[in-house]
Amino acid sequence: MKEEKDALFKYDDKPALKDIIPMGLQHVVAAVVGIVTPGIMIAGVSGLNQSDTTLMIQTSLLFSGIATLVQVFQPFGIVGSRLPVMMGASFAYVPVLMTIGADFGIATIFGAQLIGGVVVILIGFFIKKIRILFPPLVTGTVILSIGLSLFPVAIKYMAGGASSDNFGSLQNWLVALVTFGIVFYLNNFSKGTLKLASILCGMIVGYVLALFLGMVDFEPIKNASLFQVIMPGHFGLSFKVVPIFTLIIMFIVDSVQAIGQFTATTVGAMDREPTDKELSGGIMGSGLTNVIGGFFGSVPVATFGQNVGLVSVTKVINKYVFAFASAVLIIAGVVPKIAAVLTTIPQPVIGGATISVFATISMTGIRMISSQKLTPENTAVVGLSLAFGVGVALSAGCLNGFPAWVDTIFGSSEVILTTLAAVLFNLILNHGKRSKEKTEPA
């Protein structure tokens, strides 16, 4: 009996099913809200109907499960990290994808994602050579800008959605704040499963309140079939230079962020740094899954930080736990009724639950920045990058004198300009300084 329990803390051992199930479900609970919410947001601005929104949620669930299996079991021996990580639709891409979807259409998202996935596979081969461009200072600045760019998204959802007739109503804010209050309380004043499932619990309470207030429409569930095979090409593929370039930058940024997630997993739960093979395989696995996902209409997947934290706390690293969690996600992905239930979640509930997630993203960036010495050079890199990135994004029309593609890339999201500025300023202020220090005698 003790040996079966110990198997949970070993990667390749086989624990008892009664031990696998609760550990696996814990990962599903921690991930499922984050997996489905980006798809709902992107579908909303892209003008998709209820049926296609349900399909996008299905593909997000399906490919989150597939991507996790790729990471855990490492097919072909080189694709996948063989580390205990959960993959899911990433909030980091949401600001850029919402802009692309609104301006160019849903097919352009998946065309750009396909090309971006190929680039990520190449990054996996050459990751050691480009890591110099993305030290923790730069990566932290970029992650902070991602969080900042998502704050208005959450607030608009809390108010009911910018396109809704009752935007900003007291009813919307009541549901949003009750949802947020539950998440806040459980996340800060509870322990164990309630703390880990704080977002899910908050959404359940908010959903029930919205149901009593008549804000929930069950029509999508009635119209959804019981089983559906997801066919490739449903949303189409469109290839346009500006969205492709924009998404490639985001994929590069997320690849660097993935290095941090893999490192946090191995250091926190396995007491070691990840090997070059694990990092390379993990990034290539993510790229391959996103290439295939582009054909089927799945939101880009990435490592899930909340599940990394769960692994670090529990030390449970057994691959069969993650295989079980993946199976649950895949089953949910091929049953439209389950996906349709998720489309009935009112926008104030989504906003009230996700503002905590976005705050966590921002604080992750701040922690990475503060882990470095706050020298004049480093503070200049962070401050100037955010000043340009956030300042331009919040100043509508400031790039009107440039070609339209310049405004699309740099004026619609804080993330892209912040990333490029952070890399450039860091090279100017710190790279030459480090080279000089190496040549000077002690």
Side-chain angles (χ1 to χ4, degrees), residues 2-50:
K2 185 176 183 300
E3 289 181 357
E4 289 181 342
K5 284 286 186 184
D6 290 343
L8 289 172
F9 308 103
K10 298 176 183 177
Y11 191 80
D12 289 306
D13 285 11
K14 195 166 186 180
L17 186 60
K18 64 181 178 61
D19 295 324
I20 292 174
I21 290 175
M23 291 295 101
L25 288 178
Q26 195 168 227
H27 278 288
V28 173
V29 167
V32 68
V33 175
I35 290 172
V36 303
T37 305
I40 295 174
M41 291 179 167
I42 294 162
V45 300
S46 301
L48 299 188
N49 57 32
Q50 282 288 352

Tab-separated table of all heavy atoms in Angstrom, residues 2-50:
chain	number	residue	atom	x	y	z
A	2	LYS	N	1.883	1.261	0.855
A	2	LYS	CA	2.771	2.416	0.930
A	2	LYS	C	3.534	2.590	-0.388
A	2	LYS	O	3.775	3.711	-0.835
A	2	LYS	CB	3.745	2.255	2.087
A	2	LYS	CG	4.631	3.481	2.307
A	2	LYS	CD	5.502	3.299	3.528
A	2	LYS	CE	6.336	4.565	3.771
A	2	LYS	NZ	7.210	4.881	2.664
A	3	GLU	N	3.908	1.444	-1.019
A	3	GLU	CA	4.628	1.524	-2.282
A	3	GLU	C	3.772	2.152	-3.365
A	3	GLU	O	4.261	2.913	-4.203
A	3	GLU	CB	5.085	0.126	-2.705
A	3	GLU	CG	6.201	-0.444	-1.846
A	3	GLU	CD	6.628	-1.825	-2.316
A	3	GLU	OE1	6.007	-2.333	-3.279
A	3	GLU	OE2	7.563	-2.382	-1.729
A	4	GLU	N	2.445	1.837	-3.355
A	4	GLU	CA	1.547	2.445	-4.333
A	4	GLU	C	1.443	3.945	-4.116
A	4	GLU	O	1.377	4.732	-5.067
A	4	GLU	CB	0.163	1.796	-4.242
A	4	GLU	CG	0.131	0.357	-4.772
A	4	GLU	CD	-1.259	-0.255	-4.700
A	4	GLU	OE1	-2.093	0.299	-3.947
A	4	GLU	OE2	-1.510	-1.267	-5.377
A	5	LYS	N	1.401	4.386	-2.844
A	5	LYS	CA	1.378	5.824	-2.553
A	5	LYS	C	2.661	6.493	-3.000
A	5	LYS	O	2.659	7.578	-3.579
A	5	LYS	CB	1.177	6.032	-1.045
A	5	LYS	CG	-0.243	5.800	-0.555
A	5	LYS	CD	-1.161	6.941	-0.954
A	5	LYS	CE	-2.545	6.772	-0.329
A	5	LYS	NZ	-3.471	7.843	-0.789
A	6	ASP	N	3.795	5.831	-2.728
A	6	ASP	CA	5.089	6.385	-3.114
A	6	ASP	C	5.213	6.522	-4.626
A	6	ASP	O	5.959	7.377	-5.117
A	6	ASP	CB	6.216	5.510	-2.576
A	6	ASP	CG	6.351	5.603	-1.059
A	6	ASP	OD1	5.810	6.573	-0.488
A	6	ASP	OD2	6.982	4.714	-0.460
A	7	ALA	N	4.487	5.670	-5.370
A	7	ALA	CA	4.567	5.714	-6.826
A	7	ALA	C	4.102	7.051	-7.387
A	7	ALA	O	4.521	7.457	-8.476
A	7	ALA	CB	3.737	4.578	-7.422
A	8	LEU	N	3.236	7.759	-6.659
A	8	LEU	CA	2.778	9.075	-7.109
A	8	LEU	C	3.930	10.059	-7.237
A	8	LEU	O	3.874	11.002	-8.035
A	8	LEU	CB	1.735	9.641	-6.133
A	8	LEU	CG	0.351	8.981	-6.113
A	8	LEU	CD1	-0.470	9.536	-4.959
A	8	LEU	CD2	-0.373	9.203	-7.437
A	9	PHE	N	4.980	9.837	-6.453
A	9	PHE	CA	6.103	10.770	-6.423
A	9	PHE	C	7.268	10.315	-7.311
A	9	PHE	O	8.367	10.845	-7.227
A	9	PHE	CB	6.577	10.944	-4.977
A	9	PHE	CG	5.449	11.310	-4.039
A	9	PHE	CD1	4.897	10.369	-3.185
A	9	PHE	CD2	4.917	12.591	-4.041
A	9	PHE	CE1	3.856	10.689	-2.331
A	9	PHE	CE2	3.870	12.935	-3.196
A	9	PHE	CZ	3.332	11.983	-2.342
A	10	LYS	N	7.003	9.307	-8.149
A	10	LYS	CA	7.987	8.814	-9.119
A	10	LYS	C	7.364	8.871	-10.502
A	10	LYS	O	6.204	8.509	-10.687
A	10	LYS	CB	8.424	7.397	-8.766
A	10	LYS	CG	9.106	7.302	-7.408
A	10	LYS	CD	9.443	5.863	-7.047
A	10	LYS	CE	10.069	5.766	-5.655
A	10	LYS	NZ	10.330	4.368	-5.256
A	11	TYR	N	8.141	9.288	-11.473
A	11	TYR	CA	7.582	9.589	-12.790
A	11	TYR	C	7.020	8.360	-13.501
A	11	TYR	O	5.913	8.387	-14.045
A	11	TYR	CB	8.644	10.259	-13.671
A	11	TYR	CG	8.078	10.836	-14.946
A	11	TYR	CD1	7.430	12.068	-14.937
A	11	TYR	CD2	8.170	10.151	-16.155
A	11	TYR	CE1	6.891	12.605	-16.092
A	11	TYR	CE2	7.633	10.679	-17.317
A	11	TYR	CZ	6.998	11.905	-17.280
A	11	TYR	OH	6.452	12.429	-18.429
A	12	ASP	N	7.750	7.260	-13.522
A	12	ASP	CA	7.389	6.106	-14.341
A	12	ASP	C	6.667	4.993	-13.601
A	12	ASP	O	6.174	4.057	-14.222
A	12	ASP	CB	8.645	5.527	-15.011
A	12	ASP	CG	9.183	6.429	-16.112
A	12	ASP	OD1	8.406	6.780	-17.013
A	12	ASP	OD2	10.371	6.782	-16.058
A	13	ASP	N	6.604	5.027	-12.258
A	13	ASP	CA	5.920	3.970	-11.519
A	13	ASP	C	4.411	4.016	-11.784
A	13	ASP	O	3.888	5.021	-12.287
A	13	ASP	CB	6.182	4.109	-10.020
A	13	ASP	CG	7.601	3.660	-9.658
A	13	ASP	OD1	8.401	3.465	-10.588
A	13	ASP	OD2	7.899	3.535	-8.460
A	14	LYS	N	3.719	2.927	-11.441
A	14	LYS	CA	2.286	2.845	-11.706
A	14	LYS	C	1.514	2.812	-10.395
A	14	LYS	O	1.435	1.771	-9.730
A	14	LYS	CB	1.963	1.603	-12.538
A	14	LYS	CG	0.571	1.644	-13.147
A	14	LYS	CD	0.396	0.604	-14.229
A	14	LYS	CE	-0.963	0.770	-14.905
A	14	LYS	NZ	-1.156	-0.232	-15.979
A	15	PRO	N	0.906	3.919	-9.994
A	15	PRO	CA	0.129	3.952	-8.748
A	15	PRO	C	-1.226	3.261	-8.934
A	15	PRO	O	-1.636	2.930	-10.048
A	15	PRO	CB	-0.067	5.457	-8.492
A	15	PRO	CG	0.770	6.164	-9.499
A	15	PRO	CD	0.963	5.227	-10.632
A	16	ALA	N	-1.937	3.065	-7.824
A	16	ALA	CA	-3.287	2.517	-7.872
A	16	ALA	C	-4.237	3.549	-8.479
A	16	ALA	O	-4.051	4.755	-8.321
A	16	ALA	CB	-3.746	2.136	-6.472
A	17	LEU	N	-5.269	3.053	-9.178
A	17	LEU	CA	-6.226	3.941	-9.829
A	17	LEU	C	-6.907	4.870	-8.826
A	17	LEU	O	-7.177	6.035	-9.130
A	17	LEU	CB	-7.269	3.115	-10.583
A	17	LEU	CG	-8.270	3.911	-11.447
A	17	LEU	CD1	-7.536	4.700	-12.520
A	17	LEU	CD2	-9.300	2.976	-12.070
A	18	LYS	N	-7.172	4.360	-7.603
A	18	LYS	CA	-7.828	5.182	-6.581
A	18	LYS	C	-6.964	6.360	-6.149
A	18	LYS	O	-7.466	7.361	-5.614
A	18	LYS	CB	-8.199	4.328	-5.374
A	18	LYS	CG	-7.015	3.721	-4.639
A	18	LYS	CD	-7.477	2.865	-3.465
A	18	LYS	CE	-6.316	2.205	-2.754
A	18	LYS	NZ	-5.366	3.173	-2.187
A	19	ASP	N	-5.648	6.262	-6.357
A	19	ASP	CA	-4.758	7.384	-6.061
A	19	ASP	C	-4.605	8.306	-7.269
A	19	ASP	O	-4.416	9.515	-7.120
A	19	ASP	CB	-3.379	6.862	-5.638
A	19	ASP	CG	-3.426	6.094	-4.335
A	19	ASP	OD1	-4.221	6.488	-3.462
A	19	ASP	OD2	-2.680	5.106	-4.189
A	20	ILE	N	-4.680	7.712	-8.464
A	20	ILE	CA	-4.521	8.499	-9.695
A	20	ILE	C	-5.697	9.447	-9.894
A	20	ILE	O	-5.521	10.625	-10.232
A	20	ILE	CB	-4.383	7.569	-10.920
A	20	ILE	CG1	-3.058	6.806	-10.869
A	20	ILE	CG2	-4.484	8.374	-12.213
A	20	ILE	CD1	-2.919	5.769	-11.963
A	21	ILE	N	-6.926	8.944	-9.672
A	21	ILE	CA	-8.135	9.712	-10.006
A	21	ILE	C	-8.211	11.049	-9.271
A	21	ILE	O	-8.370	12.106	-9.914
A	21	ILE	CB	-9.401	8.862	-9.756
A	21	ILE	CG1	-9.473	7.739	-10.792
A	21	ILE	CG2	-10.658	9.736	-9.827
A	21	ILE	CD1	-10.622	6.775	-10.571
A	22	PRO	N	-8.094	11.103	-7.929
A	22	PRO	CA	-8.216	12.417	-7.266
A	22	PRO	C	-7.097	13.380	-7.651
A	22	PRO	O	-7.332	14.583	-7.800
A	22	PRO	CB	-8.172	12.073	-5.770
A	22	PRO	CG	-7.559	10.720	-5.684
A	22	PRO	CD	-7.946	10.014	-6.936
A	23	MET	N	-5.890	12.855	-7.831
A	23	MET	CA	-4.777	13.724	-8.224
A	23	MET	C	-4.982	14.278	-9.635
A	23	MET	O	-4.710	15.454	-9.912
A	23	MET	CB	-3.463	12.943	-8.156
A	23	MET	CG	-3.002	12.564	-6.755
A	23	MET	SD	-2.573	13.994	-5.712
A	23	MET	CE	-4.039	14.117	-4.713
A	24	GLY	N	-5.483	13.422	-10.532
A	24	GLY	CA	-5.737	13.867	-11.900
A	24	GLY	C	-6.865	14.871	-11.977
A	24	GLY	O	-6.778	15.887	-12.691
A	25	LEU	N	-7.961	14.603	-11.233
A	25	LEU	CA	-9.092	15.535	-11.232
A	25	LEU	C	-8.695	16.887	-10.662
A	25	LEU	O	-9.217	17.930	-11.080
A	25	LEU	CB	-10.255	14.941	-10.430
A	25	LEU	CG	-11.001	13.779	-11.084
A	25	LEU	CD1	-12.084	13.252	-10.158
A	25	LEU	CD2	-11.607	14.195	-12.422
A	26	GLN	N	-7.779	16.896	-9.712
A	26	GLN	CA	-7.302	18.148	-9.137
A	26	GLN	C	-6.659	19.024	-10.211
A	26	GLN	O	-6.861	20.238	-10.259
A	26	GLN	CB	-6.306	17.837	-8.019
A	26	GLN	CG	-6.002	19.003	-7.119
A	26	GLN	CD	-5.245	18.602	-5.868
A	26	GLN	OE1	-5.568	18.999	-4.778
A	26	GLN	NE2	-4.216	17.794	-6.024
A	27	HIS	N	-5.911	18.391	-11.110
A	27	HIS	CA	-5.289	19.139	-12.213
A	27	HIS	C	-6.340	19.629	-13.204
A	27	HIS	O	-6.227	20.741	-13.744
A	27	HIS	CB	-4.254	18.266	-12.928
A	27	HIS	CG	-2.925	18.236	-12.236
A	27	HIS	ND1	-2.071	19.316	-12.228
A	27	HIS	CD2	-2.306	17.269	-11.532
A	27	HIS	CE1	-0.979	19.017	-11.541
A	27	HIS	NE2	-1.098	17.778	-11.104
A	28	VAL	N	-7.363	18.810	-13.457
A	28	VAL	CA	-8.428	19.230	-14.361
A	28	VAL	C	-9.148	20.448	-13.795
A	28	VAL	O	-9.411	21.431	-14.502
A	28	VAL	CB	-9.421	18.075	-14.599
A	28	VAL	CG1	-10.624	18.571	-15.405
A	28	VAL	CG2	-8.746	16.929	-15.334
A	29	VAL	N	-9.476	20.402	-12.504
A	29	VAL	CA	-10.169	21.513	-11.848
A	29	VAL	C	-9.327	22.787	-11.916
A	29	VAL	O	-9.841	23.884	-12.176
A	29	VAL	CB	-10.486	21.152	-10.377
A	29	VAL	CG1	-10.921	22.390	-9.604
A	29	VAL	CG2	-11.570	20.083	-10.321
A	30	ALA	N	-8.018	22.642	-11.705
A	30	ALA	CA	-7.138	23.809	-11.719
A	30	ALA	C	-7.008	24.420	-13.112
A	30	ALA	O	-6.761	25.621	-13.243
A	30	ALA	CB	-5.754	23.423	-11.192
A	31	ALA	N	-7.204	23.605	-14.164
A	31	ALA	CA	-6.910	24.058	-15.525
A	31	ALA	C	-8.135	24.400	-16.351
A	31	ALA	O	-8.048	25.229	-17.267
A	31	ALA	CB	-6.090	22.991	-16.256
A	32	VAL	N	-9.293	23.775	-16.068
A	32	VAL	CA	-10.391	23.792	-17.039
A	32	VAL	C	-10.913	25.198	-17.322
A	32	VAL	O	-11.217	25.533	-18.486
A	32	VAL	CB	-11.532	22.855	-16.578
A	32	VAL	CG1	-12.225	23.404	-15.327
A	32	VAL	CG2	-12.524	22.626	-17.698
A	33	VAL	N	-11.016	26.046	-16.298
A	33	VAL	CA	-11.524	27.403	-16.525
A	33	VAL	C	-10.571	28.178	-17.434
A	33	VAL	O	-10.997	28.875	-18.366
A	33	VAL	CB	-11.724	28.141	-15.192
A	33	VAL	CG1	-12.146	29.587	-15.442
A	33	VAL	CG2	-12.769	27.428	-14.345
A	34	GLY	N	-9.276	28.058	-17.170
A	34	GLY	CA	-8.286	28.745	-17.999
A	34	GLY	C	-8.244	28.227	-19.422
A	34	GLY	O	-7.861	28.959	-20.345
A	35	ILE	N	-8.641	26.973	-19.628
A	35	ILE	CA	-8.620	26.393	-20.967
A	35	ILE	C	-9.756	26.941	-21.823
A	35	ILE	O	-9.570	27.273	-22.998
A	35	ILE	CB	-8.693	24.853	-20.894
A	35	ILE	CG1	-7.389	24.287	-20.325
A	35	ILE	CG2	-8.973	24.248	-22.274
A	35	ILE	CD1	-7.433	22.796	-20.044
A	36	VAL	N	-10.956	27.034	-21.253
A	36	VAL	CA	-12.127	27.383	-22.063
A	36	VAL	C	-12.328	28.887	-22.210
A	36	VAL	O	-12.888	29.344	-23.216
A	36	VAL	CB	-13.407	26.740	-21.483
A	36	VAL	CG1	-13.256	25.240	-21.395
A	36	VAL	CG2	-13.767	27.320	-20.118
A	37	THR	N	-11.869	29.679	-21.236
A	37	THR	CA	-12.172	31.114	-21.260
A	37	THR	C	-11.539	31.853	-22.440
A	37	THR	O	-12.212	32.690	-23.074
A	37	THR	CB	-11.754	31.772	-19.929
A	37	THR	OG1	-12.387	31.078	-18.847
A	37	THR	CG2	-12.164	33.228	-19.897
A	38	PRO	N	-10.256	31.613	-22.803
A	38	PRO	CA	-9.703	32.313	-23.968
A	38	PRO	C	-10.513	32.077	-25.242
A	38	PRO	O	-10.738	33.005	-26.023
A	38	PRO	CB	-8.291	31.730	-24.084
A	38	PRO	CG	-7.941	31.331	-22.700
A	38	PRO	CD	-9.218	30.821	-22.113
A	39	GLY	N	-10.967	30.838	-25.454
A	39	GLY	CA	-11.763	30.543	-26.642
A	39	GLY	C	-13.063	31.332	-26.669
A	39	GLY	O	-13.485	31.832	-27.724
A	40	ILE	N	-13.717	31.456	-25.506
A	40	ILE	CA	-14.969	32.221	-25.421
A	40	ILE	C	-14.706	33.692	-25.759
A	40	ILE	O	-15.464	34.324	-26.505
A	40	ILE	CB	-15.579	32.087	-24.017
A	40	ILE	CG1	-16.002	30.638	-23.747
A	40	ILE	CG2	-16.780	33.019	-23.865
A	40	ILE	CD1	-16.479	30.389	-22.326
A	41	MET	N	-13.622	34.243	-25.230
A	41	MET	CA	-13.296	35.648	-25.471
A	41	MET	C	-12.990	35.902	-26.946
A	41	MET	O	-13.482	36.863	-27.552
A	41	MET	CB	-12.094	36.059	-24.612
A	41	MET	CG	-12.371	36.129	-23.128
A	41	MET	SD	-10.867	36.598	-22.206
A	41	MET	CE	-11.560	36.978	-20.600
A	42	ILE	N	-12.175	35.029	-27.534
A	42	ILE	CA	-11.765	35.207	-28.934
A	42	ILE	C	-12.947	35.014	-29.868
A	42	ILE	O	-13.114	35.750	-30.852
A	42	ILE	CB	-10.619	34.231	-29.277
A	42	ILE	CG1	-9.368	34.605	-28.471
A	42	ILE	CG2	-10.307	34.251	-30.772
A	42	ILE	CD1	-8.338	33.511	-28.393
A	43	ALA	N	-13.793	34.027	-29.573
A	43	ALA	CA	-14.979	33.791	-30.397
A	43	ALA	C	-15.904	35.004	-30.365
A	43	ALA	O	-16.518	35.368	-31.377
A	43	ALA	CB	-15.715	32.546	-29.908
A	44	GLY	N	-16.000	35.651	-29.195
A	44	GLY	CA	-16.885	36.797	-29.052
A	44	GLY	C	-16.500	37.959	-29.958
A	44	GLY	O	-17.356	38.523	-30.644
A	45	VAL	N	-15.217	38.319	-29.991
A	45	VAL	CA	-14.798	39.460	-30.817
A	45	VAL	C	-14.699	39.089	-32.289
A	45	VAL	O	-14.703	39.966	-33.159
A	45	VAL	CB	-13.440	40.023	-30.340
A	45	VAL	CG1	-13.525	40.500	-28.914
A	45	VAL	CG2	-12.316	39.002	-30.502
A	46	SER	N	-14.616	37.787	-32.599
A	46	SER	CA	-14.500	37.340	-33.989
A	46	SER	C	-15.854	37.147	-34.657
A	46	SER	O	-15.921	36.786	-35.826
A	46	SER	CB	-13.703	36.035	-34.057
A	46	SER	OG	-12.411	36.189	-33.515
A	47	GLY	N	-16.934	37.355	-33.902
A	47	GLY	CA	-18.265	37.267	-34.475
A	47	GLY	C	-18.767	35.853	-34.725
A	47	GLY	O	-19.621	35.647	-35.591
A	48	LEU	N	-18.275	34.870	-33.974
A	48	LEU	CA	-18.727	33.490	-34.174
A	48	LEU	C	-20.106	33.278	-33.549
A	48	LEU	O	-20.431	33.874	-32.524
A	48	LEU	CB	-17.734	32.506	-33.548
A	48	LEU	CG	-16.295	32.504	-34.088
A	48	LEU	CD1	-15.520	31.350	-33.487
A	48	LEU	CD2	-16.276	32.424	-35.604
A	49	ASN	N	-20.897	32.395	-34.167
A	49	ASN	CA	-22.197	32.055	-33.587
A	49	ASN	C	-22.025	31.047	-32.454
A	49	ASN	O	-20.914	30.585	-32.180
A	49	ASN	CB	-23.138	31.515	-34.670
A	49	ASN	CG	-22.550	30.300	-35.389
A	49	ASN	OD1	-21.815	29.499	-34.805
A	49	ASN	ND2	-22.870	30.154	-36.670
A	50	GLN	N	-23.133	30.685	-31.808
A	50	GLN	CA	-23.062	29.791	-30.650
A	50	GLN	C	-22.476	28.433	-31.029
A	50	GLN	O	-21.706	27.846	-30.269
A	50	GLN	CB	-24.460	29.608	-30.044
A	50	GLN	CG	-24.945	30.758	-29.198
A	50	GLN	CD	-24.211	30.832	-27.862
A	50	GLN	OE1	-23.446	29.952	-27.493
A	50	GLN	NE2	-24.423	31.921	-27.144
